[in-house]
Amino acid sequence: MDKPDCENPEKAMDDKKADGPDLKPDSSSSSYSRSDKGKKGCCCTRCCKRIGNRFRNCWKGTKGGAKELKDMAREAKGLGRNWAKRSCTVEAVKRTFPIIKWLPKYRLKHFQGDLIAGLTVGLTVIPQGLAYAKVAGLSPEYGLYSAFIGCFVYMLLGTSKDITFGPTAIMSLLTGQFAHPGYMKNSKDPTYAILLSLFSGIIQLAMGIFHVGFIVDYISHPVINSFTTAAAVTIAWGQIKSWFGFTDVPSDFLSQVYWNFKKLPDTKLWDFLMGLICIIVLYGMKKSRSIKWGSLKSRPKRIFKYIIWLATTARNAIVVVLASVASSLFISHGMKPFSLTGTIPPGLPPFRPPKLTMTHNGTNGTETIGTLQLLTDIGPGLAIVPILGLVETIAIGKAFARKYGYTIHSNQELLAVGAANIVGSFVGAYPVTGSFSRTAVNAQSGVMTPAGGIWTAALVLLSLAFLTPLFYYIPTSALAAVIIMAVLDMIDFALLLKLWRVKKIDLIPWIVTFVCSLCIGIEYGIIIGVGVSLLFLLYPWAAPTFQINFVQITDDADHDTVVITLNQGLVFPGIERFKDKVYAKALSEDHSKSVVLDFSYIANADFTAVEGMHQLLEDFAKRKRKLVVCNLRPEILDTFTRAKLKHFQHTPTVDDAISLLKAEHEDAVKKAEADRETMIVPLDTPDIERCTIYNNDSDNEDKTDDEDKTDDEALDKNYIVAQF
């Protein structure tokens, strides 16, 4: 029996090969070429180049401009037709909708595994959704709205059998930060959150279409780890107010620290006890999963082990149900000791487009806020939320794909998460992404295909349709306990010890990200952390290192040569430092030397590098010294050649450059000897010390008597015979 592709990695790889030739970079061009063609760029790339050339000719006003425009339009039409042909093939549809590959191979055993895993994840996501909505600053039902739609979308577009979409701690925290501007700080209006989901999905979908998922590679692991740890600390500390029964506590971290301690005398004992009991029970049930049962041969023991496993997996739901039963018993006896979740609107959410405007009661009465102002209020969230959503999804997908032996496709995952957020905005969901904890539950429950998400979504929909009246009795301290225990696993200070042992300088972006996330805000901490990390990445380009060697090419010390090897790229941040180093070593005020530049390690050069090289060549020419470049890669040599630099010389190796300088020096000496002449000049002639003086017998041994007499007369009259 065949397995679905997500379960059978070898079969998936065979199907991938059957889809068509892979695209890979062509070493001779910046375009992409089909590996089985061997041509320089695909037809679309060549068409684009021709269209660009013709458009440039039309712009310059060359003859035949009208004909060029017609040809350009014809080729653009052909380009669109070729793209449509490739995009509308069966293979392209299969790549876009992976469900087409695994659904025909779906069997009963896959159904059983998906059913058990889906229901188990559903029991986990319902209490988490209710709790995470509070972190996002929304009513609890919006957590459930966000918990089901992503499961349906990912079943169609996802490439991982394990990932489950829905609300997460990070996305909920970011939504709470960006979806509640100053004048909406204490409001639970979902307009901003839903709009954030819509535009996050659009951005993620565009990133997947244009294959720009590589952006996440610029967020280093220390920054991600620090941000996740700071977010977990922020979320956990933010639940103290619900655990202890505090009210009117600000949302920013430092204010929460102050007010939580200040309000300790106002602690509600019953809320505190309920939260404490829930945390103890959750912790105990979590630890019970690590019990080693040994060999269980008898059927009753195996059944008992499975029941324990199922109970510990669904521990969040069990704790919330038990806490709700306890609170309802108190209410039935006329007591209400706990702070409760309250009334939740029953029924399924309506499917409708998200609102692009909203009304707000301001100081001047009712005001209408347009779409542009709404997006301006969200601000950097439009970049941070999509990127971090992608980071979470890709990291989780790759981790479980590596563990269970299959592959995922990053750009397809981008399409999936983008589509999930777009569709989610039509049912009132806030931004979602892959959940690590629920994905782990999904995998451990034996999920076989992405169809397991159907049963998770179905359970959430059933709870919305029939169980919302019961959610009224859920104590807020129980939900706080669920959140605290969920985010504790995200706190990872152990990485600090690893960084200290491996590379201490990476501690700086970790510490900066952590401190800024807590002190300034989680949304700015990640931006500052990425900025610091990029500074460390760019610093070697701005401060390149050099290897300096001196080579003697003549007996004259003034004619030795400096060989300078540059160890980093020749790009604009480091050009000034590079020029300063060359000037210091070769063109000092005392004396100057010729230079050989070894560019063996240079992979690229930009226009600023060309300009810097032009200035160096001019300065060396003024000092009558040589500057020779060697070991240039073909593409960099082509860049310098097209710049038509005067005095530019290039050799394949350093030895060839040294030989060239020696040969030029010998030619210059021979030419100087041929041009020299003997003259009688005054003793105070400038630069006389650099001339050959004939004033002794050894110099005059080949001269005639008349020449000796002339020389004597010249010397007697303060003149000298010199050869220039």
Side-chain angles (χ1 to χ4, degrees):
M1 183 182 297
D2 293 335
K3 298 181 179 180
D5 294 337
C6 51
E7 188 184 352
N8 190 341
E10 296 180 359
K11 184 73 175 176
M13 292 302 295
D14 293 338
D15 290 344
K16 179 182 175 184
K17 293 177 181 178
D19 287 342
D22 292 334
L23 294 180
K24 61 183 182 181
D26 188 355
S27 58
S28 61
S29 173
S30 61
S31 61
Y32 279 76
S33 63
R34 292 189 178 272
S35 56
D36 61 335
K37 296 288 185 181
K39 296 180 181 180
K40 186 178 180 181
C42 65
C43 60
C44 292
T45 304
R46 295 193 297 273
C47 287
C48 288
K49 289 182 179 179
R50 288 197 297 269
I51 291 172
N53 291 335
R54 287 175 174 172
F55 183 79
R56 184 169 58 252
N57 293 337
C58 294
W59 181 264
K60 291 180 179 178
T62 56
K63 294 181 179 180
K67 183 177 181 299
E68 292 284 352
L69 285 175
K70 290 181 180 180
D71 293 341
M72 185 171 64
R74 189 183 305 112
E75 291 202 9
K77 184 178 180 181
L79 179 63
R81 188 183 298 112
N82 291 336
W83 178 84
K85 286 181 179 179
R86 289 196 311 274
S87 301
C88 296
T89 61
V90 175
E91 290 77 13
V93 174
K94 287 182 178 180
R95 286 194 298 269
T96 306
F97 298 96
I99 187 176
I100 299 176
K101 290 185 178 181
W102 58 261
L103 188 59
K105 305 168 188 175
Y106 201 76
R107 300 294 184 268
L108 179 60
K109 68 171 186 176
H110 303 130
F111 172 80
Q112 293 172 342
D114 292 343
L115 176 62
I116 295 173
L119 294 178
T120 305
V121 173
L123 293 174
T124 304
V125 73
I126 290 174
Q128 284 190 346
L130 294 171
Y132 286 150
K134 295 181 59 181
V135 177
L138 302 172
S139 299
E141 66 270 17
Y142 288 96
L144 297 182
Y145 297 165
S146 306
F148 73 88
I149 195 65
C151 299
F152 288 121
V153 174
Y154 193 81
M155 182 191 67
L156 299 174
L157 300 176
T159 59
S160 170
K161 71 181 182 66
D162 298 299
I163 289 182
T164 174
F165 274 9
T168 65
I170 298 295
M171 288 293 105
S172 300
L173 179 63
L174 291 176
T175 301
Q177 297 289 336
F178 291 115
H180 298 281
Y183 59 89
M184 299 281 292
K185 217 52 173 171
N186 298 320
S187 172
K188 293 188 177 182
D189 190 301
T191 302
Y192 279 98
I194 296 172
L195 197 65
L196 179 59
S197 177
L198 173 65
F199 281 92
S200 294
I202 292 173
I203 293 171
Q204 289 167 333
L205 195 66
M207 291 172 67
I209 293 174
F210 294 106
H211 293 194
V212 292
F214 64 88
I215 291 176
V216 301
D217 296 334
Y218 289 95
I219 307 178
S220 65
H221 178 66
V223 171
I224 294 176
N225 178 271
S226 176
F227 170 77
T228 304
T229 301
V233 172
T234 303
I235 293 170
W237 191 260
Q239 296 308 306
I240 297 295
K241 58 186 177 183
S242 298
W243 178 8
F244 286 67
F246 299 153
T247 56
D248 299 326
V249 176
S251 59
D252 59 289
F253 178 77
L254 294 181
S255 297
Q256 285 181 356
V257 173
Y258 172 77
W259 283 100
N260 283 338
F261 280 107
K262 185 176 181 179
K263 287 179 174 288
L264 279 177
D266 300 331
T267 300
K268 294 181 179 179
L269 181 60
W270 285 102
D271 284 335
F272 172 75
L273 290 177
M274 174 61 77
L276 180 62
I277 292 172
C278 290
I279 288 175
I280 293 174
V281 173
L282 287 170
Y283 181 79
M285 296 179 74
K286 178 182 176 182
K287 286 298 181 182
S288 64
R289 298 189 63 182
S290 59
I291 296 176
K292 296 182 179 179
W293 297 89
S295 59
L296 299 176
K297 297 181 180 180
S298 63
R299 185 179 182 87
K301 290 183 179 180
R302 290 198 299 269
I303 294 175
F304 178 74
K305 178 185 176 182
Y306 179 76
I307 293 174
I308 295 297
W309 174 85
L310 185 61
T312 55
T313 301
R315 59 187 180 274
N316 291 331
I318 293 174
V319 166
V320 170
V321 169
L322 292 177
S324 302
V325 171
S327 66
S328 64
L329 290 176
F330 277 101
I331 292 175
S332 65
H333 288 81
M335 295 181 290
K336 191 178 178 182
F338 307 112
S339 300
L340 302 180
T341 300
T343 303
I344 294 179
L348 303 179
F351 190 87
R352 60 190 178 192
K355 293 190 298 183
L356 300 180
T357 60
M358 68 173 292
T359 57
H360 170 64
N361 294 324
T363 56
N364 299 325
T366 302
E367 301 174 356
T368 300
I369 304 176
T371 305
L372 184 60
Q373 183 59 46
L374 292 175
L375 296 179
T376 303
D377 292 339
I378 294 174
L382 294 173
I384 296 175
V385 172
I387 292 177
L388 288 182
L390 170 63
V391 169
E392 281 197 86
T393 300
I394 299 300
I396 294 169
K398 287 185 176 180
F400 283 88
R402 185 165 52 248
K403 182 177 181 179
Y404 292 101
Y406 60 90
T407 58
I408 67 168
H409 306 289
S410 298
N411 282 301
Q412 185 62 32
E413 293 298 304
L414 258 178
L415 296 177
V417 69
N421 281 319
I422 292 175
V423 178
S425 67
F426 283 74
V427 294
Y430 64 86
V432 299
T433 186
S435 167
F436 189 88
S437 61
R438 295 194 297 274
T439 299
V441 170
N442 204 28
Q444 293 167 4
S445 302
V447 69
M448 304 291 282
T449 70
I454 295 178
W455 305 108
T456 301
L459 194 59
V460 174
L461 290 173
L462 287 174
S463 67
L464 280 169
F466 303 108
L467 301 180
T468 47
L470 301 179
F471 294 158
Y472 172 87
Y473 300 99
I474 299 176
T476 56
S477 55
L479 293 180
V482 169
I483 295 175
I484 291 172
M485 293 304 299
V487 300
L488 284 182
D489 290 336
M490 296 166 53
I491 298 176
D492 181 17
F493 290 108
L495 184 66
L496 291 173
L497 297 177
K498 295 180 182 178
L499 293 176
W500 179 263
R501 289 196 303 266
V502 177
K503 195 169 184 181
K504 296 180 178 61
I505 196 163
D506 283 338
L507 286 168
I508 296 177
W510 194 102
I511 294 172
V512 169
T513 304
F514 185 78
V515 173
C516 291
S517 296
L518 295 182
C519 297
I520 303 176
I522 201 74
E523 68 275 24
Y524 299 109
I526 183 66
I527 297 176
I528 296 173
V530 171
V532 172
S533 184
L534 289 178
L535 285 179
F536 280 97
L537 177 66
L538 295 176
Y539 180 76
W541 297 86
T545 57
F546 307 88
Q547 296 177 11
I548 309 296
N549 295 302
F550 293 91
V551 178
Q552 195 75 24
I553 63 173
T554 67
D555 295 334
D556 187 355
D558 289 338
H559 289 85
D560 59 351
T561 300
V562 184
V563 179
I564 300 178
T565 303
L566 185 62
N567 294 330
Q568 273 83 26
L570 196 63
V571 290
F572 68 91
I575 295 302
E576 290 302 319
R577 183 182 176 91
F578 165 67
K579 289 164 54 181
D580 292 342
K581 179 66 69 173
V582 173
Y583 287 138
K585 295 296 180 181
L587 295 181
S588 62
E589 296 181 357
D590 299 335
H591 60 278
S592 57
K593 299 179 175 64
S594 295
V595 170
V596 174
L597 295 177
D598 182 6
F599 284 173
S600 303
Y601 305 110
I602 304 303
N604 60 333
D606 59 8
F607 179 77
T608 307
V610 174
E611 285 297 301
M613 186 63 65
H614 171 71
Q615 295 174 12
L616 285 174
L617 291 170
E618 292 293 329
D619 292 339
F620 271 80
K622 292 177 182 178
R623 299 288 291 272
K624 300 187 184 301
R625 294 297 184 184
K626 295 291 184 179
L627 178 67
V628 183
V629 182
C630 62
N631 290 323
L632 276 176
R633 296 190 179 189
E635 59 271 19
I636 303 178
L637 178 60
D638 180 63
T639 299
F640 285 123
T641 303
R642 283 188 276 109
K644 298 180 180 180
L645 299 176
K646 191 177 180 180
H647 311 299
F648 179 76
Q649 291 179 294
H650 171 258
T651 60
T653 64
V654 174
D655 292 337
D656 292 336
I658 299 297
S659 300
L660 175 64
L661 291 176
K662 285 183 178 180
E664 290 185 352
H665 177 73
E666 292 173 357
D667 292 342
V669 170
K670 291 178 181 179
K671 183 179 179 181
E673 289 291 341
D675 294 341
R676 296 173 71 180
E677 58 179 328
T678 303
M679 300 177 62
I680 300 176
V681 296
L683 290 174
D684 57 353
T685 300
D687 295 334
I688 192 68
E689 67 277 1
R690 301 181 63 179
C691 304
T692 303
I693 309 300
Y694 295 99
N695 58 355
N696 54 44
D697 295 340
S698 61
D699 291 335
N700 297 334
E701 60 185 6
D702 295 332
K703 295 184 179 182
T704 62
D705 293 340
D706 293 337
E707 289 175 336
D708 289 339
K709 182 178 180 181
T710 303
D711 292 347
D712 292 340
E713 292 176 354
L715 292 173
D716 290 342
K717 297 179 180 179
N718 295 323
Y719 281 79
I720 192 169
V721 179
Q723 188 179 57
F724 289 85

